[in-house]
Structure formats: C-alpha cells, structure tokens
C-alpha cells in the first residue's frame, strides 16, 4: 500500500492546485450535484454582495461566508485533482515507453532480409524481426523463435521473461525490449492501439468512470440535499412566526440561511466521493494491476469464489526435472548420463531442465559428439518420444529413447523387453504426487524414470490461507487427471479443484456459482481461459498470457502473480469501506453541526447552547469554516483508504459506526468551539 508520506509529491501538489482552480468552471462544477448546489449558492451570494456594495448596504458576515464557501469548493476540486493526478503520473511514465521505434519488417517468417520502417507504419499481420537490443514495436504474437524479453518498462519488474512461439507465452507487448536471441513477431494491433496505449487511456479515463454504487450514492446524496433545502426553507416562516410571538427579529439575511443549508447537506462525502473511486483504481495501478473499470474494483471487494487456472497461474507453467529413479542394476549417474544425451537436442523447457539437473547432480557436461555419427530423434506428438542413436563405423552402439511411460512401454515391448514391476510402482507413485514420469530406455533395457514436477509458485499456500480467512473459496481448474490435480491442489492449499476441465466446464462452474448468488473472480492466462474470464465478475488476466485472455479480462496483472488477488480484494474492500466510513462520518458530522450552532442562533434553544458560542454570527461563521476545513483533513484518508482488517461484514459495520460515526459527532463540537474562540479573540 502507498505510504502516507508519499501521498502527494511537490509536483503533484502544484499541478493539483492549478487544476482545482480550473474546476471552478460550471462544466466541472455541475458534474457533482451536491457541490453544484454549493456553487450556485456561492454565486448567488456573490451577486448579493455586489448588490449590497452598489446600494451601499452595510455588510455583516457576507464577505467571510463567501470566502469560506469558495474555499469549500476549492478543497472539493483539489481532492479530485490530487486523485486524478496520481493516476496520470503513472500514465505519463507509461507514455515514455511508447516511442517511435525503427522496425525490421520482413516478407515472411524466417526471412533475414528486412526493411526498416517507422513502427507507426506497421499494419495488423505484418511480420517483424527483432533481435537482442531491439525494442518490440507493438503488441503481437511470436510466430518463430525463443528469447528473453525485458518487460520492466511495463511491469516494473527487472527479471526478464521468456517469450516463444506457440502456447500461452507467445504474446509480446509493444515498448518492451529483447535481451537475448531473436524473434519473428506478427503484429496484432494497429499503431495507437497497443496494450500500453490502452493502459494509458484506462488510467486517464478514470475520472469519467463511475461505478453503479457510486452513482447510486450520488443520487441518495442529491436527494438528501433537496430534502435539507426544503428543511432550511421551512425554517424561515417558523423563525418569523416564533420571532413575532416573542418580540425578537429573526429575519436572518440570505448569507445566514445559505450557510445553514451548506452546513447541513453532505458536502464532506460529496466532495470526496470522486477522489475515493479514482484512488481505488490508482492503488491498483501501484500494485501493477490495470483495472478496465471501476465496477471491477468494487466487485473485487465482494467476491466469494476464486477460480484459478493451474498452469502458469498456480504453477510456473513449465515442468522441470526433479529427480532420477534408476532401475535395479543401473546407477543414478548412468541414468542421468543417458537422460542428458537424449535431451541435448530437446529445446523444450522440460528437455533443458533434464540437461541442467544432470549437470547439477553429477557435473555431467554437454559432450562434443561431432566426431561421432549421431542421429537425433526429435520429439514427435505421434510417438511421444525423443532420443539419440550413436553409431561407430556404421554400427549402432547406443540407442536411447525417453518419453511418456505408455509410449516407452510399447517401444520396449516391440523390441522384446518388459517394464520391471518396481519401475511401474515408482511411476504410479510419481503420478500420485502430481508429477509426470518420463521413462528412459537404451534399446529394450529400461534404465529408469525421470520425475518432471509442476513447480507451485512460492508462498501460495499462505496466501490462499489468507483468502480463506477473508471468506473466499479457492478453486483450481486444470486439464490434468484427477490424481495429479488432487496432489497439486493439496500442495498449493486450494479449497477445491476441477480436473480434466474444458473451457465449457470452466464456464459452467462460474455460471453455477453466480446462479447461487456468489460473485466469482477468475485468474487465467491462456486462450482457453478467455470465456471464463469474460463471464466472471472479476476477470484477472496474467500479463504473460495470450492477447485473447488479456482482452477478455477486466483486470490485467502486469506482474503475472496469482497471489496478487489478495491485494486486489483488499483494495476493493478498502474502496467500499472508505466510502462507507466517510459517508457515515459526513452524515454524523452534519447532524452534530446543527446541534452545535442552532442553540446559538435561536433564543428558545439557548439552554442547549452547551458550548457557549460567543454570538450567532460567530457560530454560523465557525460552522462554515469547519465545514470547509474538514474536507482537506480527510483527503489523505480518501487517497490511502481505510485500513482493511479481515472481519465479518457486521463487525466492519459496527467498527465504522463507532469510529467514524462517533468521530463525526464529536469533532464538530470541538472544531467549531475552537474556531469560535479564535474568531472571538480577533485572530480570524
């Protein structure tokens, strides 16, 4: 969360002051109905001041009341300007990454003859070639190659990511930089429509996005304003009647009635309402999450069920070699040596991890096979095997295969061999743990098993436990078999799982939960997650995922960290709690102001003037000053948000009522009395 000391920088403070002055224009003033009534009242008071001045009518409290009403409007504008400015600062930093770069356009995939053009001239489906040191000119899909890409300009993270053709790691973002190898990329967006452009427009469009709850609260506040206007107007004939009965002139001036009205209506929450909503989205941005709408942020605070795709979300996405299990009569080092030999031509992440594990455990280095007659057996989807055949003087001396257990079993049996029962038991145990057994054989002799393990991202179990305390159920969705799914679900600490899930099954589960009245959040990164992301109330797409997934979600996690949902939920709950807390404070504050100043204004209520305010004029002026100053005092809270503590809704409601409702009742008495002492002492 944002540190309170860094809520407003010097530069932001200056630009917000200027923007607050600009918002005095009716174009901005009338976008907030409650503050629009303050604007109208202030304008009418200004006209009366000009009339008094031209008619030489003596002033009373008109000038100071007019000044403090201007201050009230200014602080309301300032609160909104600060919230907008914090988001725009992030947009400016993103805009710096969107520069015109020179692109190497090619005619076909794999072509090394390229034509250099400005990136803004690229079209959808154009193919570009990028190598180490080049900036990726726009959003696209990798169609050939594998490379490390620095995405720190977008995510803020310094660790590079791997981008490769095929699968769910093929999407690249414009403005990021290639740091090794090369890629051929097919453009998927037009100039000006890249992911960074969309993020900038989403951030800068925050001021125009109002959530249904915010709109509903705005309507309620405006209705209260009309009700209080009628209440204040009704005081005029009542005051005149009572004044005539007791022989006292209570025909107060327009400035007094206006001040009473402004102090009664909910100006505090109305002034801060926009800032609260914008700041909720801005806090998400600081967590490297882009929300496409404020509605998604609010929904995040109320979700009940979280669905997570396993691969790339709960796990790292690539299986890694974890351990060698040799058969009887074979040493583990022999198995490791054969496994590495069969993996030297395997460019998949799994194959590379086998080479690395053999190096780490037995210091087996990649050997030079150029002097030998070597025939590499590439992986085939039909055989589910890969390997190597080594010949000396035209004679086959080593024939190594590695692959799926069923495929290797059939291969061994075709050569007249069998799979030992002990190895089959090891294979079954590996499967039960949620790992994948890979058999390695030399000829008909099975050498052993390699365990490929799905690596669960660190710290997830503790994070899911935190979600459980928040009342959120976690459900893992995977295409794995039930045994594998159960093992990974237990390791990750999720509450439930769906195995062998299809896109239709994911969609069906979300709809079932929503039919039961639950709000559902979905985290995913693949094209097959897109329907579920679109259907869910909160769809969080991983930035490392496909373009389709990012388009379907209503939030994008730039760090691609599924545990980020805890921050998303906390920020959503903060937004709702902050709005509720400040609404409670504002209403209690308005009630207290009237109990404080009315006894000083009307003689029959004098016994209730327990604060002994010095005079009616001072009482009304003190209330107007307090009403203005309470807005900037609450700006830090509206920007930072109420601290979220996992509690039941009833406990949170009671806490808000006691803390903010009670504070709203007490502070006006203290504040108005203090200001009255300052005024009566001639200090103001």
């Amino acid at each position: 969360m944002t540190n309170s000391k860094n809520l407003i920088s010097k530069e932001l403070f200056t630009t917000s002051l200027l923007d607050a002055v600009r918002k005095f224009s009716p174009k901005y003033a009338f976008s907030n109905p409650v503050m629009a009534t303050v604007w109208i009242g202030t304008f009418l008071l200004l006209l009366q001041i000009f009339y008094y001045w031209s008619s030489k009518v003596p002033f009373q409290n008109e000038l100071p009341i007019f000044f403090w009403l201007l201050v009230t409007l200014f602080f309301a504008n300032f609160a909104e300007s600060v919230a907008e400015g914090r988001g725009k600062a992030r947009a400016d930093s993103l805009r710096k990454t969107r520069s015109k770069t020179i692109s190497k356009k090619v005619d076909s995939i794999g072509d090394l003859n390229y034509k250099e053009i400005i990136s803004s001239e690229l079209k959808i489906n154009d193919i570009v070639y990028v190598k180490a040191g080049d900036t990726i000119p726009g959003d696209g899909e990798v169609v050939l190659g594998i490379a490390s890409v620095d995405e720190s300009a977008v995510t803020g993270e310094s660790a590079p990511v791997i981008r490769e053709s095929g699968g769910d790691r093929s999407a690249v973002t414009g403005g990021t930089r290639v740091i090794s190898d090369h890629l051929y990329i097919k453009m998927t967006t037009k100039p000006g429509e890249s992911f960074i452009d969309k993020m900038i427009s989403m951030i800068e469009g925050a001021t125009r996005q109002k959530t249904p709850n915010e709109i509903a609260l705005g309507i309620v506040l405006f209705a209260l304003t009309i009700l209080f206007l009628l209440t204040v107007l009704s005081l005029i004939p009542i005051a005149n009647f009572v004044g005539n009965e007791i022989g006292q002139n209570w025909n107060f001036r327009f400035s007094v009635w206006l001040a009473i009205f402004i102090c009664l209506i909910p100006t505090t929450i109305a002034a801060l309402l926009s800032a609260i909503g914008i700041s909720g989205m801005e806090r998400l941005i600081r967590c490297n999450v882009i929300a496409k709408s404020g509605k998604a942020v609010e929904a995040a605070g109320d979700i009940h069920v979280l669905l997570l795709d396993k691969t790339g979300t709960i796990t790292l996405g690539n299986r890694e070699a974890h351990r060698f299990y040799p058969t009887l009569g074979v040493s583990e080092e022999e198995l490791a040596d054969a496994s590495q030999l069969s993996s030297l031509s395997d460019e998949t992440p799994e194959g590379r991890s086998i080479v690395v594990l053999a190096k780490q455990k037995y210091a087996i280095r990649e050997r030079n096979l150029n002097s030998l007659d070597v025939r590499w057996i590439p992986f085939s989807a039909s055989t589910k095997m890969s390997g190597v055949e080594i010949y000396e003087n035209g004679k086959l001396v080593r024939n190594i295969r590695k692959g799926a257990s069923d495929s290797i079993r059939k291969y061994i049996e075709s050569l007249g061999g069998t799979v030992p029962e002990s190895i089959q038991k090891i294979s079954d145990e590996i499967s039960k743990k949620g790992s994948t057994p890979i058999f390695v054989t030399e000829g008909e002799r099975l050498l052993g098993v390699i365990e490929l393990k799905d690596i669960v991202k660190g710290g997830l179990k503790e994070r899911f436990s935190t979600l459980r305390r928040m009342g959120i159920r976690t459900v893992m969705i995977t295409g794995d078999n039930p045994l594998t799914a159960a093992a990974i679900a237990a390791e990750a600490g999720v509450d439930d799982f769906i195995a062998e899930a299809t896109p239709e099954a994911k969609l069906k589960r979300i709809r079932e939960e929503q039919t039961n009245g639950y709000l559902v959040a979905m985290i995913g990164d693949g094209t097959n997650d897109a329907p579920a992301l679109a259907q869910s109330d909160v769809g969080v797409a991983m930035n490392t995922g496909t373009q389709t997934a990012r388009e379907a979600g209503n939030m994008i996690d730039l760090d691609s960290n599924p545990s980020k949902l805890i921050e998303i939920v906390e920020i959503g709950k903060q937004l709702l709690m902050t709005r509720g807390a400040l609404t409670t404070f504002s209403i209690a504050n308005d009630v207290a102001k009237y109990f404080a100043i009315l006894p000083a204004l009307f003689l029959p209520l004098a016994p209730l003037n327990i604060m002994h305010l010095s005079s009616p004029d001072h009482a009304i002026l003190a209330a107007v000053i307090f009403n203005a100053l309470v807005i900037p005092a609450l700006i830090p809270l509206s920007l930072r948000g109420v601290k979220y503590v996992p509690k039941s809704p009833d406990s949170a409601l009671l806490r808000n009522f006691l803390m903010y409702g009670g504070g709203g009742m007490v502070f006006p008495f203290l504040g108005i009395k203090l200001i009255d002492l300052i005024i009566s002492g001639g200090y103001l």
Side-chain angles (χ1 to χ4, degrees):
M1 298 301 163
T2 306
N3 192 305
S4 59
K5 295 180 180 178
N6 300 322
L7 287 174
I8 306 177
S9 66
K10 183 178 180 181
E11 182 181 358
L12 176 59
F13 181 81
T14 303
T15 56
S16 297
L17 286 177
L18 297 174
D19 195 45
V21 174
R22 183 175 59 86
K23 287 179 181 289
F24 272 102
S25 164
K27 174 185 174 181
Y28 296 98
F30 283 81
S31 63
N32 186 326
V34 177
M35 299 311 297
T37 62
V38 181
W39 192 95
I40 293 171
T42 306
F43 180 73
L44 293 176
L45 182 57
L46 177 63
L47 294 180
Q48 186 185 61
I49 289 172
F50 278 127
Y51 172 75
Y52 281 2
W53 177 75
S54 62
S55 303
K56 300 190 184 303
V57 175
F59 293 117
Q60 291 185 6
N61 265 358
E62 282 78 12
L63 286 174
I65 289 176
F66 172 74
F67 171 78
W68 285 104
L69 290 183
L70 277 180
V71 171
T72 302
L73 289 170
F74 175 80
F75 283 145
N77 295 341
F78 181 71
E80 185 176 52
S81 297
V82 170
E84 291 173 1
R86 281 156 58 86
K88 288 177 181 177
R90 172 66 172 177
D92 289 339
S93 68
L94 288 173
R95 190 176 283 108
K96 292 176 183 177
T97 69
R98 187 189 57 185
S99 57
K100 288 186 177 180
T101 57
I102 300 299
S103 306
K104 299 181 178 74
K105 181 183 174 182
V106 297
D107 293 330
S108 60
I109 299 172
D111 190 357
L112 293 177
N113 297 316
Y114 55 80
K115 177 183 178 183
E116 291 189 344
I117 63 172
I118 298 175
S119 60
S120 59
E121 297 177 2
L122 289 172
K123 300 176 182 177
I124 293 178
N125 294 327
D126 279 350
I127 306 296
V128 297
Y129 169 76
V130 291
K131 57 183 178 60
D134 289 348
T135 298
I136 295 174
D139 293 359
E141 297 282 341
V142 177
V143 291
L144 180 65
I146 179 171
S148 296
V149 178
D150 177 10
E151 296 188 341
S152 59
V154 176
T155 66
E157 297 294 328
S158 58
V161 296
I162 299 297
R163 289 289 175 262
E164 58 187 328
S165 59
D168 291 340
R169 295 180 181 271
S170 60
V172 291
T173 302
T176 57
R177 188 171 57 89
V178 178
I179 58 178
S180 73
D181 303 293
H182 66 271
L183 299 170
Y184 285 87
I185 301 169
K186 181 171 72 172
M187 294 293 100
T188 57
T189 58
K190 298 178 182 178
E193 295 182 1
S194 69
F195 180 55
I196 289 181
D197 289 301
K198 291 177 183 177
M199 286 195 295
I200 292 171
S201 65
M202 281 187 278
I203 294 169
E204 293 186 329
T207 56
R208 297 181 293 276
Q209 297 172 351
K210 290 189 177 181
T211 66
N213 284 344
E214 186 176 347
I215 293 171
L217 181 56
I219 293 172
V220 171
L221 295 178
F222 183 66
L224 286 174
T225 300
I226 298 300
L227 177 63
F228 294 151
L229 174 62
L230 297 175
T231 300
V232 171
L233 290 176
S234 69
L235 287 177
I236 297 175
I238 294 174
N240 289 336
F241 174 77
V242 175
N244 292 333
E245 289 294 319
I246 65 175
Q248 182 179 356
N249 181 17
W250 278 351
N251 187 19
F252 293 135
R253 296 190 175 198
F254 171 72
S255 60
V256 175
W257 295 113
L258 176 62
I260 295 174
F261 169 66
I262 298 302
C263 289
L264 179 59
I265 63 176
T267 52
T268 304
I269 183 60
L272 298 172
L273 188 59
S274 179
I276 294 169
I278 296 171
S279 293
M281 296 185 70
E282 192 272 338
R283 283 196 297 276
L284 268 186
I285 293 167
R286 288 179 178 267
C287 285
N288 271 354
V289 177
I290 300 295
K292 296 182 181 179
S293 70
K295 182 180 178 180
V297 185
E298 283 191 349
D302 283 332
I303 67 166
H304 306 94
V305 183
L306 168 62
L307 275 66
L308 306 99
D309 184 53
K310 185 207 77 173
T311 305
T313 305
I314 289 179
T315 64
L316 293 176
N318 293 323
R319 295 173 301 174
E320 294 184 0
H322 178 63
R323 184 175 172 184
F324 298 111
Y325 294 87
T327 191
L328 189 64
V330 177
S331 69
E332 189 172 330
E333 186 172 356
E334 287 180 82
L335 173 59
D337 179 73
S339 300
Q340 189 188 71
L341 269 173
S342 63
S343 302
L344 291 178
S345 64
D346 188 350
E347 290 300 322
T348 65
E350 291 87 352
R352 291 195 295 268
S353 73
I354 292 171
V355 174
V356 170
L357 183 63
K359 284 181 181 179
Q360 291 175 342
K361 295 200 72 173
Y362 299 105
I364 302 174
R365 302 292 171 183
E366 296 179 28
R367 69 291 319 270
N368 184 3
L369 301 176
N370 293 331
S371 60
L372 301 176
D373 184 5
V374 178
R375 179 187 168 211
W376 300 106
I377 311 298
F379 176 81
S380 167
S382 58
T383 63
K384 296 182 181 179
M385 292 190 299
S386 64
V388 61
E389 293 177 355
I390 302 176
Y391 295 83
E392 286 185 8
N393 300 321
K395 182 180 179 182
L396 179 64
V397 293
R398 299 200 73 177
N399 181 18
I400 304 172
R401 295 287 191 279
K402 81 171 194 302
S405 56
D406 291 343
S407 299
I408 295 294
R409 179 184 289 105
K410 291 177 183 178
Y411 176 76
I412 291 175
E413 290 173 352
S414 69
L415 297 177
T418 59
V419 174
E421 186 176 342
S422 59
I423 290 296
Q424 187 58 52
K425 287 182 179 179
I426 292 173
S427 175
D428 292 341
E429 288 298 322
I430 290 173
S431 297
K432 288 179 182 179
K433 291 194 299 182
S435 299
T436 302
I438 297 294
F439 282 8
V440 181
T441 185
E442 186 164 352
E444 74 278 6
R445 182 189 179 207
L446 186 66
L447 299 179
V449 184
I450 308 169
E451 179 185 357
L452 294 182
K453 187 176 180 181
D454 255 339
I455 307 299
V456 174
K457 293 183 178 180
L460 279 188
K461 195 162 191 174
E462 294 75 16
R463 306 289 265 175
F464 290 151
S465 177
T466 301
L467 287 172
R468 197 172 297 113
R469 289 196 298 272
M470 292 180 181
I472 298 172
R473 287 186 288 115
T474 51
V475 181
M476 183 187 77
I477 302 177
T478 177
D480 290 337
N481 63 68
L483 273 179
T484 301
I488 294 177
E491 183 179 353
V494 296
D495 298 312
D496 195 6
F497 67 89
I498 304 173
E500 298 176 342
T502 61
E504 293 78 12
K506 300 177 187 180
L507 202 57
K508 181 182 177 183
R509 177 62 179 261
I510 291 175
R511 287 172 175 167
E512 286 176 353
E513 297 284 1
Q514 290 172 332
T515 301
N516 293 329
Y518 297 122
L519 291 181
V520 181
M522 166 76 185
I523 293 182
D525 64 347
T527 300
N528 64 339
D529 296 323
L533 287 169
Q535 176 66 37
S536 57
D537 300 285
V538 179
V540 184
M542 300 290 103
N543 188 44
T544 54
T546 62
Q547 186 76 15
T548 306
R550 295 192 296 186
E551 292 289 344
N554 52 24
M555 289 188 186
I556 299 172
D557 177 16
L558 301 181
D559 295 332
S560 300
N561 178 7
S563 64
K564 184 74 68 65
L565 190 82
I566 293 179
E567 281 83 2
I568 295 174
V569 170
E570 287 182 349
I571 290 170
K573 289 184 180 296
Q574 269 193 321
L575 175 62
L576 297 175
M577 289 177 63
T578 303
R579 188 179 294 154
L582 291 183
T583 301
T584 303
F585 179 90
S586 180
I587 294 174
N589 182 59
D590 295 333
V591 173
K593 279 182 286 187
Y594 268 75
F595 277 110
I597 64 175
L598 285 181
L601 296 178
F602 298 102
L603 186 61
L605 299 177
L608 299 177
N609 185 17
I610 57 176
M611 293 199 301
H612 303 291
L613 299 179
S614 56
S615 71
D617 286 345
H618 288 174
I620 197 69
L621 184 57
V624 172
I625 294 173
F626 176 82
N627 191 66
L629 295 181
V630 76
I631 295 173
L634 293 174
I635 288 177
L637 181 61
S638 66
L639 296 179
R640 186 176 55 246
V642 174
K643 184 178 179 181
Y644 172 69
V645 179
K647 285 186 176 181
S648 67
D650 291 341
S651 299
L653 182 63
L654 180 61
R655 177 176 177 268
N656 271 1
F657 181 77
L658 294 177
M659 180 177 293
Y660 296 98
M665 290 294 294
V666 172
F667 287 152
F669 288 96
L670 299 176
I672 291 174
K673 179 60 179 177
L674 177 61
I675 295 171
D676 177 68
L677 291 174
I678 295 173
I679 294 173
S680 60
Y683 300 107
L684 193 64

